[in-house]
Amino acid sequence: MSFPVKSAFVAALTLCSFTAAVASGVSRADEAPSVTGTQPVMIDTSRPSVATAASGQIRFAPRKEVVQPLGTMQGARKAGDMASAAPRADEMIAVPDKNYSSLAAMVREVDTSASLDEETRCLATAVFYESRSESLEGQLAVARVIINRAESNRFGEDMCDVVAQPGQFSFVRGGVIPAPNASRPAWKTAIAIARIAQENAWASKAEGALYFHARRVSPSWRRARVAVIDNHIFYR
């Protein structure tokens, strides 16, 4: 083989070997699943995976799906708060949440047509029989005494027990609370006063009182006097 031909043949072989070596190196870099040792690490940042080092390997955490976008969750939470804040039909407040110039103005706007639960009926009945001839402030004070007694656990478990307790209210006979005359306007007023007292919507002049009696009697009580309203004197 002549020298020029031999030189060309060697050059061609060298070029082919170099090309194969480069191609082989690129293939191995693409196919390597992990890198160990101190070699440089190239991490694909185009996917939202988290890389952690363990036993000298780079492991990718599995993808996690977002079940609900944050904005949707916040909207649902706000909607839930609004739903829980809105009163249900059985939780509607009978006394409107407004500023009134007088107790009489409040009484006029109380819903007295709604059905009464047992305790509200007992309280309204006591107001009707004990103080329907008194002023609205006097009726409210009587209602608050009954509520205070029920809350003190010293007179009865609830307002009906307090009203029916023997020897406490003269209109009760044999532990039986009589039914009031529902056709009288005083009954609607008694219902309104009972609801206002239950919701503590108007401050009573005899707040904190547990006892009262008519002015015409003079019991030998050693109790702190709270207020005198109309024909009743109230004590703690």
Side-chain angles (χ1 to χ4, degrees), residues 135-193:
S135 66
L136 295 177
E137 286 78 8
Q139 294 182 52
L140 179 62
V142 169
R144 289 302 305 171
V145 166
I146 295 170
I147 292 173
N148 291 341
R149 285 191 172 194
E151 292 177 348
S152 72
N153 295 323
R154 293 163 53 190
F155 300 87
E157 294 184 358
D158 54 36
M159 287 183 281
C160 291
D161 286 346
V162 169
V163 174
Q165 189 176 13
Q168 297 300 312
F169 295 94
S170 59
F171 65 91
V172 177
R173 295 284 188 271
V176 178
I177 302 175
N181 185 350
S183 64
R184 299 186 61 175
W187 172 239
K188 291 185 177 181
T189 300
I191 293 174
I193 289 294

Short mmCIF file of all heavy atoms in Angstrom, two decimals, residues 135-193:
data_model
loop_
_atom_site.label_atom_id
_atom_site.label_comp_id
_atom_site.label_asym_id
_atom_site.label_seq_id
_atom_site.Cartn_x
_atom_site.Cartn_y
_atom_site.Cartn_z
N SER A 135 -96.27 48.71 85.62
CA SER A 135 -95.64 49.28 84.42
C SER A 135 -94.80 48.20 83.72
O SER A 135 -94.57 47.11 84.27
CB SER A 135 -94.73 50.45 84.83
OG SER A 135 -93.64 49.97 85.61
N LEU A 136 -94.34 48.51 82.52
CA LEU A 136 -93.51 47.55 81.80
C LEU A 136 -92.21 47.26 82.56
O LEU A 136 -91.74 46.12 82.58
CB LEU A 136 -93.19 48.09 80.40
CG LEU A 136 -94.39 48.25 79.46
CD1 LEU A 136 -93.94 48.86 78.14
CD2 LEU A 136 -95.09 46.91 79.22
N GLU A 137 -91.65 48.29 83.20
CA GLU A 137 -90.44 48.08 84.00
C GLU A 137 -90.72 47.14 85.17
O GLU A 137 -89.89 46.29 85.51
CB GLU A 137 -89.90 49.40 84.51
CG GLU A 137 -89.21 50.27 83.46
CD GLU A 137 -90.20 50.99 82.55
OE1 GLU A 137 -91.42 50.95 82.83
OE2 GLU A 137 -89.76 51.61 81.57
N GLY A 138 -91.90 47.29 85.78
CA GLY A 138 -92.28 46.41 86.89
C GLY A 138 -92.48 44.98 86.42
O GLY A 138 -92.08 44.03 87.11
N GLN A 139 -93.08 44.79 85.25
CA GLN A 139 -93.28 43.45 84.71
C GLN A 139 -91.94 42.80 84.36
O GLN A 139 -91.73 41.60 84.60
CB GLN A 139 -94.18 43.51 83.47
CG GLN A 139 -95.61 43.96 83.78
CD GLN A 139 -96.49 43.97 82.55
OE1 GLN A 139 -96.57 42.99 81.82
NE2 GLN A 139 -97.16 45.10 82.30
N LEU A 140 -91.05 43.60 83.80
CA LEU A 140 -89.73 43.07 83.46
C LEU A 140 -88.97 42.65 84.71
O LEU A 140 -88.29 41.61 84.72
CB LEU A 140 -88.93 44.13 82.69
CG LEU A 140 -87.51 43.73 82.28
CD1 LEU A 140 -87.52 42.54 81.33
CD2 LEU A 140 -86.79 44.92 81.63
N ALA A 141 -89.10 43.40 85.78
CA ALA A 141 -88.41 43.06 87.03
C ALA A 141 -88.92 41.74 87.60
O ALA A 141 -88.13 40.91 88.07
CB ALA A 141 -88.59 44.19 88.05
N VAL A 142 -90.22 41.51 87.51
CA VAL A 142 -90.79 40.23 87.98
C VAL A 142 -90.25 39.08 87.14
O VAL A 142 -89.87 38.02 87.66
CB VAL A 142 -92.32 40.28 87.94
CG1 VAL A 142 -92.92 38.89 88.14
CG2 VAL A 142 -92.86 41.25 88.99
N ALA A 143 -90.20 39.28 85.82
CA ALA A 143 -89.69 38.23 84.94
C ALA A 143 -88.23 37.91 85.24
O ALA A 143 -87.82 36.75 85.27
CB ALA A 143 -89.84 38.67 83.48
N ARG A 144 -87.44 38.96 85.51
CA ARG A 144 -86.03 38.73 85.79
C ARG A 144 -85.83 38.00 87.12
O ARG A 144 -84.90 37.20 87.25
CB ARG A 144 -85.28 40.07 85.81
CG ARG A 144 -85.12 40.73 84.46
CD ARG A 144 -84.40 39.85 83.46
NE ARG A 144 -83.10 39.42 83.96
CZ ARG A 144 -82.34 38.49 83.36
NH1 ARG A 144 -82.76 37.90 82.26
NH2 ARG A 144 -81.17 38.15 83.86
N VAL A 145 -86.69 38.23 88.09
CA VAL A 145 -86.59 37.49 89.36
C VAL A 145 -86.77 36.00 89.11
O VAL A 145 -86.02 35.16 89.64
CB VAL A 145 -87.64 38.00 90.37
CG1 VAL A 145 -87.79 37.02 91.53
CG2 VAL A 145 -87.25 39.37 90.89
N ILE A 146 -87.75 35.64 88.30
CA ILE A 146 -88.00 34.22 88.02
C ILE A 146 -86.82 33.61 87.27
O ILE A 146 -86.39 32.48 87.56
CB ILE A 146 -89.31 34.08 87.21
CG1 ILE A 146 -90.49 34.54 88.07
CG2 ILE A 146 -89.51 32.64 86.73
CD1 ILE A 146 -91.79 34.68 87.32
N ILE A 147 -86.27 34.33 86.30
CA ILE A 147 -85.11 33.83 85.57
C ILE A 147 -83.91 33.68 86.49
O ILE A 147 -83.19 32.68 86.44
CB ILE A 147 -84.78 34.77 84.39
CG1 ILE A 147 -85.90 34.70 83.34
CG2 ILE A 147 -83.44 34.41 83.77
CD1 ILE A 147 -85.76 35.71 82.22
N ASN A 148 -83.70 34.67 87.37
CA ASN A 148 -82.58 34.60 88.32
C ASN A 148 -82.72 33.39 89.24
O ASN A 148 -81.73 32.73 89.57
CB ASN A 148 -82.51 35.88 89.14
CG ASN A 148 -82.09 37.08 88.31
OD1 ASN A 148 -81.54 36.95 87.22
ND2 ASN A 148 -82.38 38.28 88.82
N ARG A 149 -83.93 33.10 89.64
CA ARG A 149 -84.15 31.94 90.51
C ARG A 149 -83.84 30.64 89.78
O ARG A 149 -83.23 29.73 90.34
CB ARG A 149 -85.60 31.93 91.01
CG ARG A 149 -85.90 32.96 92.08
CD ARG A 149 -87.26 32.73 92.71
NE ARG A 149 -87.46 33.59 93.87
CZ ARG A 149 -88.43 33.43 94.77
NH1 ARG A 149 -89.32 32.44 94.62
NH2 ARG A 149 -88.53 34.25 95.80
N ALA A 150 -84.27 30.55 88.53
CA ALA A 150 -84.01 29.34 87.75
C ALA A 150 -82.52 29.14 87.53
O ALA A 150 -82.02 28.01 87.54
CB ALA A 150 -84.75 29.41 86.42
N GLU A 151 -81.80 30.23 87.34
CA GLU A 151 -80.35 30.13 87.09
C GLU A 151 -79.56 29.88 88.36
O GLU A 151 -78.42 29.42 88.29
CB GLU A 151 -79.86 31.40 86.40
CG GLU A 151 -80.39 31.57 84.98
CD GLU A 151 -79.95 32.87 84.34
OE1 GLU A 151 -79.43 33.75 85.08
OE2 GLU A 151 -80.13 33.02 83.11
N SER A 152 -80.14 30.18 89.52
CA SER A 152 -79.42 30.01 90.78
C SER A 152 -79.40 28.56 91.26
O SER A 152 -78.59 28.21 92.13
CB SER A 152 -80.05 30.88 91.87
OG SER A 152 -81.31 30.35 92.26
N ASN A 153 -80.31 27.72 90.73
CA ASN A 153 -80.43 26.31 91.14
C ASN A 153 -80.82 26.16 92.61
O ASN A 153 -80.58 25.10 93.21
CB ASN A 153 -79.12 25.56 90.88
CG ASN A 153 -78.78 25.47 89.41
OD1 ASN A 153 -79.68 25.31 88.58
ND2 ASN A 153 -77.51 25.60 89.07
N ARG A 154 -81.38 27.20 93.19
CA ARG A 154 -81.81 27.13 94.59
C ARG A 154 -83.32 27.02 94.73
O ARG A 154 -83.83 26.73 95.82
CB ARG A 154 -81.33 28.38 95.33
CG ARG A 154 -79.82 28.46 95.49
CD ARG A 154 -79.37 29.87 95.84
NE ARG A 154 -80.06 30.41 96.99
CZ ARG A 154 -79.99 31.68 97.38
NH1 ARG A 154 -79.23 32.54 96.68
NH2 ARG A 154 -80.63 32.10 98.44
N PHE A 155 -84.04 27.23 93.64
CA PHE A 155 -85.50 27.25 93.71
C PHE A 155 -86.16 26.23 92.80
O PHE A 155 -87.30 25.82 93.04
CB PHE A 155 -86.02 28.65 93.35
CG PHE A 155 -85.53 29.73 94.25
CD1 PHE A 155 -84.33 30.37 94.00
CD2 PHE A 155 -86.25 30.12 95.37
CE1 PHE A 155 -83.87 31.39 94.83
CE2 PHE A 155 -85.80 31.12 96.21
CZ PHE A 155 -84.60 31.76 95.94
N GLY A 156 -85.50 25.83 91.74
CA GLY A 156 -86.07 24.88 90.79
C GLY A 156 -85.14 24.71 89.62
O GLY A 156 -84.24 25.52 89.39
N GLU A 157 -85.35 23.61 88.88
CA GLU A 157 -84.45 23.33 87.77
C GLU A 157 -84.70 24.22 86.57
O GLU A 157 -83.81 24.47 85.78
CB GLU A 157 -84.60 21.86 87.35
CG GLU A 157 -84.13 20.88 88.42
CD GLU A 157 -84.21 19.45 87.95
OE1 GLU A 157 -84.66 19.22 86.79
OE2 GLU A 157 -83.84 18.56 88.71
N ASP A 158 -85.94 24.68 86.42
CA ASP A 158 -86.26 25.57 85.30
C ASP A 158 -87.32 26.56 85.74
O ASP A 158 -87.75 26.57 86.91
CB ASP A 158 -86.72 24.79 84.06
CG ASP A 158 -87.89 23.85 84.36
OD1 ASP A 158 -88.76 24.22 85.18
OD2 ASP A 158 -87.94 22.75 83.78
N MET A 159 -87.75 27.41 84.83
CA MET A 159 -88.69 28.48 85.21
C MET A 159 -90.06 27.94 85.58
O MET A 159 -90.74 28.51 86.45
CB MET A 159 -88.78 29.49 84.07
CG MET A 159 -87.55 30.37 83.97
SD MET A 159 -87.63 31.63 82.70
CE MET A 159 -87.28 30.64 81.25
N CYS A 160 -90.47 26.85 84.97
CA CYS A 160 -91.76 26.26 85.35
C CYS A 160 -91.72 25.73 86.77
O CYS A 160 -92.68 25.89 87.54
CB CYS A 160 -92.13 25.15 84.36
SG CYS A 160 -92.53 25.75 82.69
N ASP A 161 -90.60 25.11 87.15
CA ASP A 161 -90.45 24.64 88.53
C ASP A 161 -90.45 25.80 89.51
O ASP A 161 -91.02 25.71 90.61
CB ASP A 161 -89.15 23.85 88.68
CG ASP A 161 -89.23 22.47 88.03
OD1 ASP A 161 -90.35 22.03 87.71
OD2 ASP A 161 -88.16 21.86 87.82
N VAL A 162 -89.80 26.90 89.12
CA VAL A 162 -89.76 28.07 89.99
C VAL A 162 -91.15 28.63 90.21
O VAL A 162 -91.54 28.97 91.34
CB VAL A 162 -88.83 29.14 89.38
CG1 VAL A 162 -88.98 30.47 90.12
CG2 VAL A 162 -87.37 28.68 89.42
N VAL A 163 -91.91 28.75 89.13
CA VAL A 163 -93.26 29.33 89.24
C VAL A 163 -94.18 28.41 90.04
O VAL A 163 -95.01 28.87 90.84
CB VAL A 163 -93.83 29.60 87.83
CG1 VAL A 163 -95.29 30.05 87.92
CG2 VAL A 163 -93.00 30.65 87.11
N ALA A 164 -94.04 27.09 89.82
CA ALA A 164 -94.94 26.14 90.48
C ALA A 164 -94.51 25.78 91.90
O ALA A 164 -95.22 25.04 92.59
CB ALA A 164 -95.03 24.86 89.64
N GLN A 165 -93.40 26.31 92.37
CA GLN A 165 -92.93 25.98 93.71
C GLN A 165 -93.95 26.39 94.76
O GLN A 165 -94.46 27.52 94.75
CB GLN A 165 -91.60 26.69 93.98
CG GLN A 165 -90.92 26.25 95.26
CD GLN A 165 -89.56 26.91 95.44
OE1 GLN A 165 -89.23 27.87 94.73
NE2 GLN A 165 -88.77 26.42 96.38
N PRO A 166 -94.29 25.50 95.68
CA PRO A 166 -95.32 25.80 96.68
C PRO A 166 -94.98 27.02 97.54
O PRO A 166 -93.83 27.23 97.93
CB PRO A 166 -95.37 24.54 97.54
CG PRO A 166 -94.83 23.46 96.65
CD PRO A 166 -93.79 24.13 95.81
N GLY A 167 -95.98 27.84 97.80
CA GLY A 167 -95.85 28.98 98.70
C GLY A 167 -95.11 30.17 98.12
O GLY A 167 -94.76 31.09 98.86
N GLN A 168 -94.88 30.22 96.81
CA GLN A 168 -94.13 31.32 96.22
C GLN A 168 -95.02 32.30 95.46
O GLN A 168 -94.84 33.52 95.58
CB GLN A 168 -93.05 30.76 95.29
CG GLN A 168 -92.01 29.91 95.99
CD GLN A 168 -91.26 30.69 97.08
OE1 GLN A 168 -90.79 31.81 96.85
NE2 GLN A 168 -91.18 30.11 98.27
N PHE A 169 -95.95 31.82 94.69
CA PHE A 169 -96.82 32.70 93.90
C PHE A 169 -98.28 32.38 94.22
O PHE A 169 -98.70 31.22 94.13
CB PHE A 169 -96.55 32.53 92.41
CG PHE A 169 -95.15 32.96 92.00
CD1 PHE A 169 -94.12 32.04 91.94
CD2 PHE A 169 -94.88 34.29 91.72
CE1 PHE A 169 -92.84 32.43 91.58
CE2 PHE A 169 -93.61 34.70 91.35
CZ PHE A 169 -92.58 33.76 91.29
N SER A 170 -99.01 33.41 94.57
CA SER A 170 -100.38 33.21 95.06
C SER A 170 -101.34 32.70 93.99
O SER A 170 -102.36 32.10 94.32
CB SER A 170 -100.91 34.53 95.64
OG SER A 170 -100.90 35.55 94.65
N PHE A 171 -101.03 32.93 92.72
CA PHE A 171 -101.97 32.48 91.68
C PHE A 171 -101.84 30.97 91.40
O PHE A 171 -102.69 30.39 90.71
CB PHE A 171 -101.75 33.25 90.37
CG PHE A 171 -100.41 33.01 89.71
CD1 PHE A 171 -100.26 32.00 88.78
CD2 PHE A 171 -99.32 33.80 90.03
CE1 PHE A 171 -99.04 31.79 88.17
CE2 PHE A 171 -98.09 33.59 89.42
CZ PHE A 171 -97.94 32.58 88.49
N VAL A 172 -100.80 30.33 91.93
CA VAL A 172 -100.61 28.89 91.75
C VAL A 172 -101.35 28.15 92.85
O VAL A 172 -101.17 28.45 94.03
CB VAL A 172 -99.11 28.54 91.77
CG1 VAL A 172 -98.91 27.03 91.65
CG2 VAL A 172 -98.37 29.25 90.63
N ARG A 173 -102.16 27.19 92.48
CA ARG A 173 -102.94 26.41 93.44
C ARG A 173 -102.59 24.93 93.27
O ARG A 173 -102.76 24.37 92.18
CB ARG A 173 -104.44 26.59 93.24
CG ARG A 173 -104.94 28.01 93.51
CD ARG A 173 -105.01 28.28 95.03
NE ARG A 173 -105.67 29.55 95.32
CZ ARG A 173 -105.06 30.71 95.40
NH1 ARG A 173 -103.74 30.78 95.22
NH2 ARG A 173 -105.73 31.82 95.69
N GLY A 174 -102.10 24.33 94.34
CA GLY A 174 -101.77 22.90 94.29
C GLY A 174 -100.69 22.57 93.27
O GLY A 174 -100.70 21.47 92.71
N GLY A 175 -99.78 23.48 93.04
CA GLY A 175 -98.71 23.23 92.09
C GLY A 175 -99.12 23.31 90.63
O GLY A 175 -98.31 22.98 89.75
N VAL A 176 -100.35 23.78 90.38
CA VAL A 176 -100.85 23.87 89.01
C VAL A 176 -100.82 25.33 88.56
O VAL A 176 -101.36 26.21 89.24
CB VAL A 176 -102.29 23.32 88.90
CG1 VAL A 176 -102.81 23.48 87.47
CG2 VAL A 176 -102.31 21.85 89.32
N ILE A 177 -100.19 25.58 87.44
CA ILE A 177 -100.14 26.93 86.88
C ILE A 177 -101.35 27.13 85.99
O ILE A 177 -101.51 26.41 85.00
CB ILE A 177 -98.84 27.13 86.05
CG1 ILE A 177 -97.61 26.88 86.93
CG2 ILE A 177 -98.79 28.54 85.46
CD1 ILE A 177 -96.30 26.93 86.18
N PRO A 178 -102.23 28.06 86.30
CA PRO A 178 -103.45 28.24 85.51
C PRO A 178 -103.15 28.83 84.14
O PRO A 178 -102.14 29.51 83.93
CB PRO A 178 -104.28 29.20 86.35
CG PRO A 178 -103.28 29.98 87.12
CD PRO A 178 -102.15 29.04 87.41
N ALA A 179 -104.03 28.55 83.18
CA ALA A 179 -103.88 29.10 81.83
C ALA A 179 -104.41 30.52 81.80
O ALA A 179 -105.51 30.81 82.31
CB ALA A 179 -104.65 28.24 80.84
N PRO A 180 -103.68 31.46 81.25
CA PRO A 180 -104.15 32.86 81.19
C PRO A 180 -105.19 33.05 80.10
O PRO A 180 -105.37 32.19 79.23
CB PRO A 180 -102.87 33.63 80.87
CG PRO A 180 -102.06 32.66 80.08
CD PRO A 180 -102.35 31.31 80.66
N ASN A 181 -105.88 34.16 80.17
CA ASN A 181 -106.85 34.52 79.14
C ASN A 181 -106.08 35.09 77.94
O ASN A 181 -105.66 36.24 77.95
CB ASN A 181 -107.84 35.54 79.69
CG ASN A 181 -108.94 35.86 78.70
OD1 ASN A 181 -108.89 35.46 77.53
ND2 ASN A 181 -109.97 36.57 79.15
N ALA A 182 -105.89 34.26 76.91
CA ALA A 182 -105.07 34.64 75.78
C ALA A 182 -105.68 35.73 74.92
O ALA A 182 -104.99 36.30 74.06
CB ALA A 182 -104.78 33.41 74.92
N SER A 183 -106.96 36.05 75.15
CA SER A 183 -107.61 37.08 74.33
C SER A 183 -107.34 38.48 74.86
O SER A 183 -107.62 39.47 74.16
CB SER A 183 -109.12 36.83 74.28
OG SER A 183 -109.69 36.96 75.58
N ARG A 184 -106.77 38.59 76.02
CA ARG A 184 -106.51 39.90 76.61
C ARG A 184 -105.21 40.50 76.08
O ARG A 184 -104.21 39.77 75.91
CB ARG A 184 -106.47 39.80 78.13
CG ARG A 184 -107.78 39.32 78.76
CD ARG A 184 -107.73 39.37 80.26
NE ARG A 184 -107.51 40.73 80.75
CZ ARG A 184 -107.53 41.06 82.04
NH1 ARG A 184 -107.76 40.12 82.97
NH2 ARG A 184 -107.34 42.30 82.42
N PRO A 185 -105.19 41.80 75.83
CA PRO A 185 -103.95 42.44 75.38
C PRO A 185 -102.80 42.27 76.36
O PRO A 185 -101.62 42.23 75.96
CB PRO A 185 -104.35 43.91 75.23
CG PRO A 185 -105.83 43.89 75.03
CD PRO A 185 -106.32 42.73 75.85
N ALA A 186 -103.13 42.17 77.66
CA ALA A 186 -102.09 42.02 78.68
C ALA A 186 -101.31 40.72 78.49
O ALA A 186 -100.14 40.64 78.89
CB ALA A 186 -102.72 42.06 80.07
N TRP A 187 -101.95 39.71 77.88
CA TRP A 187 -101.24 38.45 77.64
C TRP A 187 -100.14 38.63 76.58
O TRP A 187 -99.04 38.13 76.73
CB TRP A 187 -102.22 37.37 77.23
CG TRP A 187 -101.57 36.09 76.78
CD1 TRP A 187 -101.70 35.48 75.57
CD2 TRP A 187 -100.69 35.25 77.54
NE1 TRP A 187 -100.95 34.33 75.52
CE2 TRP A 187 -100.32 34.16 76.72
CE3 TRP A 187 -100.17 35.33 78.83
CZ2 TRP A 187 -99.46 33.16 77.15
CZ3 TRP A 187 -99.31 34.32 79.26
CH2 TRP A 187 -98.96 33.25 78.43
N LYS A 188 -100.44 39.37 75.53
CA LYS A 188 -99.43 39.63 74.50
C LYS A 188 -98.27 40.45 75.09
O LYS A 188 -97.11 40.22 74.76
CB LYS A 188 -100.04 40.35 73.31
CG LYS A 188 -101.00 39.49 72.50
CD LYS A 188 -101.48 40.23 71.26
CE LYS A 188 -102.37 39.36 70.41
NZ LYS A 188 -102.84 40.05 69.19
N THR A 189 -98.62 41.39 75.96
CA THR A 189 -97.57 42.18 76.60
C THR A 189 -96.70 41.28 77.49
O THR A 189 -95.47 41.41 77.52
CB THR A 189 -98.18 43.30 77.44
OG1 THR A 189 -98.96 44.15 76.60
CG2 THR A 189 -97.10 44.12 78.14
N ALA A 190 -97.34 40.36 78.20
CA ALA A 190 -96.60 39.44 79.07
C ALA A 190 -95.65 38.56 78.25
O ALA A 190 -94.52 38.28 78.68
CB ALA A 190 -97.57 38.58 79.88
N ILE A 191 -96.10 38.13 77.07
CA ILE A 191 -95.24 37.33 76.19
C ILE A 191 -94.03 38.15 75.76
O ILE A 191 -92.89 37.67 75.79
CB ILE A 191 -96.02 36.83 74.97
CG1 ILE A 191 -97.10 35.84 75.38
CG2 ILE A 191 -95.07 36.20 73.95
CD1 ILE A 191 -98.01 35.42 74.24
N ALA A 192 -94.28 39.39 75.35
CA ALA A 192 -93.19 40.25 74.91
C ALA A 192 -92.19 40.48 76.04
O ALA A 192 -90.96 40.41 75.84
CB ALA A 192 -93.74 41.58 74.41
N ILE A 193 -92.69 40.75 77.23
CA ILE A 193 -91.80 40.97 78.38
C ILE A 193 -91.01 39.71 78.69
O ILE A 193 -89.81 39.77 78.99
CB ILE A 193 -92.63 41.42 79.61
CG1 ILE A 193 -93.17 42.84 79.43
CG2 ILE A 193 -91.79 41.32 80.88
CD1 ILE A 193 -92.09 43.91 79.38
#
